Amino acid sequence: MVIFNDIKQEEYFVDNGYIKSNFISSNEVKEIIDYYEQYQLMGGDIMPFAKSLGYYISVFDSNLDRRKYIDSKLKDVFQKKIEKIMPNYTILYCNFMTKDPNGTEIEVHQDFSFVDEKKYTAFNFWLPLQYTDAQNGGFHLIEGSHKLFNSYRSATIPHNLTHYNSEFKKYMKEIPVNAGDGLIFDHKLFHYSTPNQTNNVRIAIQMVLIPKDATPVTYYYRPEEDKNNLEVYEITSEYLLTDNLWSDPKNKLKFIGKTPYEKIPDAKSILKKLNKNKSNNILEKINNFLKMYKIFNEENLQASFENDGFVRLPQLLTQQEIEEIKQFYFKYTNGNVENSVYGMYVSLDEKDTTKKIDTMKMIQEYLKPKLNKYLHDIKSHLGSFLVKVPNKYSYTYPHQDWLFIDNEQEDMFSATIWVSLEDIDVQTGSLGFIKGSHKFLNNIVGSPSPEIYTATMGHESLLLSYLTFPEVKAGDALIFNNKTVHAAFPNTTEKQRIAIGIGITPEPAVLHHYFLNPENNKKLYKLTVDEEFFYTYSNDTLRNTYHNKNYHNTPKL
C-alpha cells in the first residue's frame, strides 16, 4: 500500500525508513508553545515508573486532564496536516516530549508496536519547537534499519536494542531539525537521542500515526504463565490517556489472542545485516546518479554528463556575439582586473552591485536563448566574467563549486555553463576536470571559503595529476556538475583568458545556499534563497557575516 501522497517521499521512506518535512509555520510553533505553557500551569507529576527514564513525555504524567488537554490540542493542529500527506492515516495519541538540561541520552531503540506489522506500518511523528541537534538532545537514526528484521516491542518485552546501545550508536546519522519541521518514521527504525547539553529545555511534540483501517494493539509478555507467546490486546486512545502501557491490560482491554514470542537477533547478526545494507545503500546512491533529472536533448550528451560530470557544447556563441561580450567587459573594467585568491577575477565578487547585476543580466541574455539547442526543462541563475590574468603563480586549485539545490533530492543537481571567448589550452588557463568525481565526492559545498572544510582541501597537488582537459575553441561551452572536481593552471601567456559563466538547475529545483554555522563549524544552515540573495551576498560578505556572527538576519529554511 502506498503511504505518502508525494511519490518522492514514498520512495525516500521505502529506502530510509523516514521522511523529513516542514509541517507548521513559525506562528503555529508559537501557538503550540502557548499550549505547552498552559499545560505546565495545570500542574502534575510524572508516574513513579518513568522517573528514571532521563526524559519527560506527557503520557507518563499522573494528571489525566493534562494528558487529555494536550492530546486534544495537538490533534486539532495536526490531523488535517497528516491526512494531507498520508490520506489513509490517523493520529492515535499525542504527547509533549521534553529533555531538561543535562538530561541523559535516550538509548538506541525501536518504538513500541501499535499495529500488526505483518499487515501495516505505524509511525512516530516527532517535531521540535526549536532548532534541535546533537547539542540539545537531537535525533539520530540508522537509515534503512526498519528493513533489518521483524519484531514485537512493548513495555513488558525484555529483549530489545538498548542492550546493544554502544554497538549501534556508531552507525547513527544525526538529523538536525528546525522548529516546525518534523520527522515521520517507521516504529521499527533504530534511533536514539543525545543528552541535552544546553541550558534550555528541549521541547518536542510526539505522536503515533496508524492506518485508519488498522486495529491498534499492544503486546503483553507474561513469562511466568507462557514463555513462548505474547498476549495481544486491542488498545484505544482513551486507555492511553487514562492508563499506561506498563500496567497489566488484563480485564481492562479486549483480548484478541496470542502470537509467538521471538527474540530479536543478537548484535553480531544485526550488525552483519546492517553492514550489508549499508554497502548496498552506497552502491544504490552511486547508481542513483544515473537517474538524474534529464535536461539534454541528445541522449549521448546526457550520458556523458551523468557519467563524467561534464560535457562540451561546441560553438554556443558566434564570433560576433563573442566580440560584443568582450566589448561589454572592457567597457565595465577597462581590463584592469586582478586574480583573486581563487586564481582568477570573478565579477560576482564586485562590490558595485549595479555593475554586478548589469553583468549578470547581460550574460544571461546572451546565453539563455542559445541553450535551447542543447537543453530543456532548466532555469538559470547568476552570471559572471571569469578572467585569468597572466600570472605564472595563479593556480585555480582543484575544488567543487557551491551547491545550489537540496542535496537530499538525489535526482536534482546544479551545474555551471562556462564559455570561453577565445581559443585556449592548458597554458592559457583552460578548465580541467576529474571524470566521475561528482559521484564519489557527494558532499555539500557552501560559504564562506576557506572557512568551510571541503573534501579536496589538503589534496590539491595530488588531484591536479588526475585532470582531463577538453579541447576548447572560442565560443565553446563546458557544462559541468557543481560537484565535479575541476581546476585550471596559471595563465602563462601575455593575454587575459576571458570566459563567462552562468548557473543552471532543473526547472523543478528550488534554489538553495549552504552557510557554515558560526557557533558550530560542523553544521551547515540550508538557506532557501532567490537570485537576489547573491546580489547582496558574495563570498566576502558571507565571510564577514560568519565572523561577525550576524547570521540571524539570514533567511533559514
Side-chain angles (χ1 to χ4, degrees), residues 35 68-78:
Y35 294 155
K68 291 179 179 179
Y69 167 80
I70 202 57
D71 181 75
S72 173
K73 288 294 186 182
L74 294 179
K75 280 179 177 174
D76 285 345
V77 174
F78 285 99

Side-chain angles (χ1 to χ4, degrees), residues 16-165:
N16 299 289
Y18 73 101
I19 68 158
K20 176 182 172 183
S21 186
N22 177 258
F23 289 92
I24 56 175
S25 66
S26 57
N27 287 335
E28 289 173 309
V29 170
K30 291 176 183 176
E31 179 185 1
I32 296 173
I33 290 174
D34 287 341
Y35 294 155
Y36 177 75
E37 291 173 351
Q38 290 297 316
Y39 173 83
Q40 292 291 86
L41 292 174
M42 295 172 71
D45 192 18
I46 195 166
M47 295 176 181
F49 73 88
K51 289 183 185 267
S52 62
L53 292 177
Y55 63 96
Y56 168 83
I57 186 167
S58 54
V59 77
F60 297 155
D61 201 286
S62 60
N63 186 330
L64 303 187
D65 289 335
R66 292 217 306 172
R67 289 157 65 175
K68 291 179 179 179
Y69 167 80
I70 202 57
D71 181 75
S72 173
K73 288 294 186 182
L74 294 179
K75 280 179 177 174
D76 285 345
V77 174
F78 285 99
Q79 184 62 58
K80 289 184 179 178
K81 295 179 185 292
I82 294 299
E83 289 179 349
K84 187 174 180 180
I85 65 167
M86 305 167 73
N88 298 315
Y89 274 72
T90 189
I91 300 171
L92 182 60
Y93 74 101
C94 307
N95 288 296
F96 275 128
M97 192 171 189
T98 63
K99 272 198 171 188
D100 289 330
N102 301 315
T104 59
E105 72 178 16
I106 299 178
E107 295 178 313
V108 177
H109 66 286
Q110 297 170 296
D111 289 335
F112 290 170
S113 306
F114 282 100
V115 294
D116 180 352
E117 291 175 342
K118 294 177 181 177
K119 298 179 181 178
Y120 301 101
T121 301
F123 291 87
N124 195 330
F125 176 45
W126 185 85
L127 183 147
L129 301 181
Q130 62 283 298
Y131 175 76
T132 305
D133 61 12
Q135 297 301 307
N136 63 345
F139 202 92
H140 295 67
L141 54 81
I142 300 179
E143 293 182 334
S145 55
H146 64 304
K147 297 184 285 189
L148 293 179
F149 59 85
N150 295 316
S151 63
Y152 297 103
R153 289 96 49 209
S154 78
T156 57
I157 297 176
H159 192 54
N160 54 57
L161 287 182
T162 58
H163 298 292
Y164 310 137
N165 187 53

Side-chain angles (χ1 to χ4, degrees), residues 384-399:
S384 184
F385 280 108
L386 306 161
V387 180
K388 261 194 172 293
V389 178
N391 184 323
K392 63 181 180 180
Y393 301 109
S394 286
Y395 284 82
T396 301
Y397 286 101
H399 66 285

Side-chain angles (χ1 to χ4, degrees), residues 455-466:
T456 57
M457 284 182 173
H459 310 291
E460 290 86 353
S461 298
L462 174 64
L463 294 172
L464 283 171
S465 63
Y466 289 92

Side-chain angles (χ1 to χ4, degrees), residues 521-538:
N521 61 13
K522 294 182 180 180
K523 308 293 180 185
L524 293 172
Y525 287 117
K526 182 170 70 173
L527 312 180
T528 301
V529 300
D530 54 24
E531 192 171 19
E532 291 184 4
F533 175 87
F534 301 100
Y535 298 169
T536 304
Y537 291 99
S538 65

Side-chain angles (χ1 to χ4, degrees), residues 299-312:
E299 289 186 8
N300 63 320
L301 292 177
Q302 181 73 37
S304 295
F305 181 70
E306 291 179 353
N307 293 329
D308 298 337
F310 67 94
V311 71
R312 174 174 166 265

Side-chain angles (χ1 to χ4, degrees), residues 272-551:
K272 186 176 180 180
K273 269 193 167 185
L274 192 59
N275 282 317
K276 183 178 180 181
N277 187 58
K278 191 174 181 180
S279 299
N280 289 339
N281 282 345
I282 291 171
L283 291 172
E284 185 177 353
K285 285 181 183 294
I286 292 173
N287 290 332
N288 275 342
F289 283 97
L290 300 177
K291 301 176 184 177
M292 273 185 187
Y293 192 95
K294 308 297 182 184
I295 62 167
F296 285 88
N297 296 332
E298 297 180 21
E299 289 186 8
N300 63 320
L301 292 177
Q302 181 73 37
S304 295
F305 181 70
E306 291 179 353
N307 293 329
D308 298 337
F310 67 94
V311 71
R312 174 174 166 265
L313 308 178
Q315 295 298 297
L316 191 68
L317 295 176
T318 65
Q319 191 59 44
Q320 180 179 340
E321 290 164 337
I322 290 170
E323 294 303 321
E324 290 171 358
I325 295 171
K326 281 185 176 180
Q327 288 175 16
F328 183 99
Y329 166 70
F330 286 109
K331 175 184 175 182
Y332 265 71
T333 68
N334 293 317
N336 296 324
V337 300
E338 296 180 354
N339 292 333
S340 68
V341 293
Y342 311 112
M344 61 181 167
Y345 162 80
V346 181
S347 61
L348 279 176
D349 291 334
E350 282 281 354
K351 291 181 171 58
D352 185 330
T353 302
T354 300
K355 183 183 293 188
K356 180 162 58 175
I357 295 173
D358 286 348
T359 301
M360 287 183 191
K361 289 180 178 178
M362 179 277 298
I363 291 173
Q364 289 208 28
E365 286 173 2
Y366 272 95
L367 293 186
K368 285 169 70 174
K370 298 287 185 174
L371 299 178
N372 294 332
K373 178 179 178 182
Y374 297 99
L375 305 171
H376 62 270
D377 291 340
I378 62 164
K379 56 187 177 185
S380 60
H381 56 270
L382 305 182
S384 184
F385 280 108
L386 306 161
V387 180
K388 261 194 172 293
V389 178
N391 184 323
K392 63 181 180 180
Y393 301 109
S394 286
Y395 284 82
T396 301
Y397 286 101
H399 66 285
Q400 296 169 294
D401 285 344
W402 283 355
L403 191 65
F404 290 92
I405 49 92
D406 182 349
N407 197 47
E408 294 180 2
Q409 293 185 274
E410 293 179 343
D411 60 336
M412 291 297 159
F413 58 89
S414 55
T416 295
I417 297 180
W418 184 95
V419 185
S420 177
L421 302 187
E422 47 251 315
D423 296 352
I424 57 174
D425 55 22
V426 176
Q427 286 70 39
T428 320
S430 185
L431 281 189
F433 304 92
I434 297 181
K435 286 186 176 182
S437 52
H438 62 303
K439 294 192 281 189
F440 58 81
L441 289 179
N442 183 29
N443 47 285
I444 296 170
V445 176
S447 66
S449 177
E451 286 78 3
I452 188 169
Y453 184 81
T454 66
T456 57
M457 284 182 173
H459 310 291
E460 290 86 353
S461 298
L462 174 64
L463 294 172
L464 283 171
S465 63
Y466 289 92
L467 295 173
T468 295
F469 291 88
E471 180 184 17
V472 178
K473 300 294 184 182
D476 288 355
L478 297 172
I479 174 170
F480 58 93
N481 191 311
N482 291 150
K483 290 183 179 180
T484 304
V485 177
H486 56 287
F489 285 93
N491 179 0
T492 57
T493 69
E494 297 180 354
K495 182 182 177 183
Q496 291 185 1
R497 183 222 71 186
I498 306 173
I500 58 174
I502 62 170
I504 64 165
T505 64
E507 181 61 40
V510 175
L511 205 62
H512 289 283
H513 180 68
Y514 294 86
F515 180 67
L516 190 63
N517 182 343
E519 296 181 342
N520 184 344
N521 61 13
K522 294 182 180 180
K523 308 293 180 185
L524 293 172
Y525 287 117
K526 182 170 70 173
L527 312 180
T528 301
V529 300
D530 54 24
E531 192 171 19
E532 291 184 4
F533 175 87
F534 301 100
Y535 298 169
T536 304
Y537 291 99
S538 65
N539 192 64
D540 284 342
T541 53
L542 286 163
R543 185 186 294 113
N544 291 335
T545 299
Y546 173 82
H547 287 292
N548 294 332
K549 297 189 177 181
N550 185 28
Y551 56 95

